Amino acid sequence: MTNDMHEPERYHAEYKVIGGKLVVADVETDGKHITEVKISGDFFLEPEEAYFDLAPALVGASVIADNANLRQRLDAALAGYGSELAMHGFSTSDIATVVRRALGSAANFTDFDWQVIRGQVLPTQVNVALDQVLLEEVAAGRRKPTLRFWEWDDTATVIGAFQSYVNELRPEGVEKYGVQVVRRISGGGAMFMEGGNCITYSMFVPPSLVAGLDYEESYVFLDQWVLAALKSLGVEAFYKPINDISSTGGKIGGAAQKRLRDGTLLHHATMSYDIDADKMVEVLRIGEAKISDKGVSSAKKRVDPLRSQTGEARKDIIDVMANTFADRYGASFDTFTADELEKAQALVDEKFGTEKWTHRVP
């Protein structure tokens, strides 16, 4: 007789809810459907009986079910408790997320040997090119997952991959201040970058780290170390969907992402340190809504949330950020290789420094 029984496929994932508790999923499947699941963690749930309805609600779900489907199953199972139901430190959406991360064989930050680069001063064109180079190097396995901080001393504006050049920039301001305009590979908005006026970092992330997370969740997840670093500096920072880093004192900065087809991810953010708002509005076509969002209400103002809210020098803030990341995830410090810098310069010549790329969206 042949035995058609197959060993169940087993998966495990842990998910720390942003501002909440740890939720853990141990999942078994037959390859097509969830056959058994255990949800655990340090969360609070009342009444206690509701806990025993969580796992049965997920059994039978497809292994490719999305967050909405899994959450719907859980909500239906808990609906009978009505106003008695109290979930503290987590939600049904968080349970769905950790199950999806388990099924996607998600990894944690500490599963990787991270490198941190405190980059030397480079032209903004080279900094933008390095994002593409390091993303491709990590995807190819030639570089370990990396966090790198930008340094530059030119005056530049970095525009998003899909922004219109003429809609975003004022030619007279660009010419007046000798602004270097560079288009990056990720979406999002324009960044006015004079040397020392903001803090920019880029992360090069393996696909498994963000497995099971949707677009919005990945932003918050990847920047938890940033929020922790800012908190240690006295700034109560938080994410404002989808990609803004804000605080009780107003917006600090924004993030953007670019994913390769294999899922390898570039995640980067720019945070305002001490921006000359008058010069910025001469260079960028910023509408009233944007000006209000950046905290610029009148002339002769500066956008300086990190300087004013921390009272620290820019270098000292970057020191705290880099050390927070290294301490949390066991990262070591590294440098660019000669080959990476050569590839970046070649990309400047072939792509990022060309009119064709810069004006690809006129």
Side-chain angles (χ1 to χ4, degrees):
M1 292 180 63
T2 60
N3 186 353
D4 292 330
M5 298 295 291
H6 296 284
E7 284 292 316
E9 299 174 5
R10 296 182 174 88
Y11 304 91
H12 174 88
E14 301 180 3
Y15 179 63
K16 177 65 169 61
V17 178
I18 310 307
K21 296 296 184 177
L22 180 70
V23 186
V24 181
D26 291 281
V27 183
E28 292 188 8
T29 81
D30 60 8
K32 295 182 178 180
H33 298 91
I34 295 174
T35 55
E36 188 175 336
V37 61
K38 180 174 71 175
I39 302 298
S40 59
D42 60 357
F43 49 77
F44 299 93
L45 176 60
E46 297 291 344
E48 185 175 335
E49 291 77 14
Y51 172 75
F52 299 99
D53 289 328
L54 299 178
L58 298 169
V59 171
S62 169
V63 296
I64 59 171
D66 62 13
N67 189 295
N69 179 274
L70 297 176
R71 188 175 67 247
Q72 185 178 39
R73 284 171 165 266
L74 291 161
D75 288 341
L78 299 176
Y81 294 101
S83 60
E84 291 183 66
L85 182 68
M87 304 178 73
H88 300 288
F90 77 126
S91 67
T92 53
S93 180
D94 297 320
I95 297 173
T97 293
V98 74
V99 169
R100 287 167 56 231
R101 282 180 62 74
L103 293 172
S105 300
N108 295 313
F109 271 94
T110 51
D111 292 328
F112 301 101
D113 184 8
W114 285 90
Q115 309 291 301
V116 177
I117 297 178
R118 296 291 301 271
Q120 66 255 46
V121 175
L122 295 167
T124 297
Q125 288 182 336
V126 176
N127 271 313
V128 171
L130 275 168
D131 271 0
Q132 179 173 329
V133 170
L134 298 186
L135 179 62
E136 293 172 353
E137 292 296 292
V138 170
R142 292 186 292 266
R143 166 171 281 281
K144 296 172 181 177
T146 298
L147 163 69
R148 67 115 174 175
F149 292 89
W150 295 30
E151 290 294 344
W152 68 99
D153 58 12
D154 52 354
T155 297
T157 292
V158 179
I159 60 176
F162 311 110
Q163 287 190 296
S164 164
Y165 187 100
V166 297
N167 287 344
E168 297 299 327
L169 296 157
R170 299 181 186 276
E172 60 276 15
V174 170
E175 182 177 357
K176 176 181 178 180
Y177 295 110
V179 177
Q180 178 73 66
V181 180
V182 193
R183 186 182 296 277
R184 62 180 185 269
I185 61 174
S186 64
M191 304 165 359
F192 178 64
M193 303 173 62
E194 289 186 288
N197 77 348
C198 52
I199 294 173
T200 296
Y201 61 86
S202 300
M203 298 173 65
F204 307 92
V205 179
S208 59
L209 184 59
V210 292
L213 298 177
D214 64 25
Y215 184 75
E216 184 174 325
E217 289 171 329
S218 69
Y219 276 94
V220 189
F221 176 75
L222 291 173
D223 277 341
Q224 283 307 289
W225 63 276
V226 179
L227 303 186
L230 292 175
K231 186 173 184 178
S232 73
L233 290 165
V235 179
E236 290 296 330
F238 53 87
Y239 246 84
K240 187 176 179 181
I242 298 176
N243 61 334
D244 284 345
I245 301 172
S246 193
S247 74
T248 51
K251 182 176 176 179
I252 294 173
Q257 294 183 353
K258 166 70 175 180
R259 298 185 189 225
L260 298 180
R261 287 188 175 181
D262 72 350
T264 305
L265 173 69
L266 161 66
H267 173 94
H268 56 186
T270 292
M271 298 184 291
S272 301
Y273 179 75
D274 192 12
I275 294 176
D276 184 331
D278 285 346
K279 188 181 294 187
M280 178 176 67
V281 297
E282 284 189 69
V283 173
L284 299 181
R285 297 184 185 277
I286 302 174
E288 289 184 5
K290 280 282 189 181
I291 291 175
S292 174
D293 192 37
K294 294 177 184 295
V296 185
S297 57
S298 62
K300 304 303 177 187
K301 293 287 185 179
R302 301 191 74 85
V303 183
D304 66 345
L306 286 181
R307 185 182 65 83
S308 61
Q309 291 184 46
T310 67
E312 300 287 344
R314 177 179 176 275
K315 177 185 178 300
D316 294 336
I317 295 173
I318 296 175
D319 286 344
V320 171
M321 292 174 66
N323 290 330
T324 296
F325 187 93
D327 292 344
R328 284 170 73 102
Y329 306 133
S332 56
F333 288 85
D334 195 22
T335 59
F336 301 120
T337 68
D339 183 59
E340 288 166 346
L341 290 171
E342 287 175 10
K343 287 179 177 178
Q345 185 57 59
L347 274 177
V348 170
D349 298 337
E350 300 164 8
K351 180 177 180 179
F352 294 104
T354 67
E355 289 289 305
K356 181 179 179 181
W357 171 256
T358 305
H359 294 269
R360 75 166 193 161
V361 182

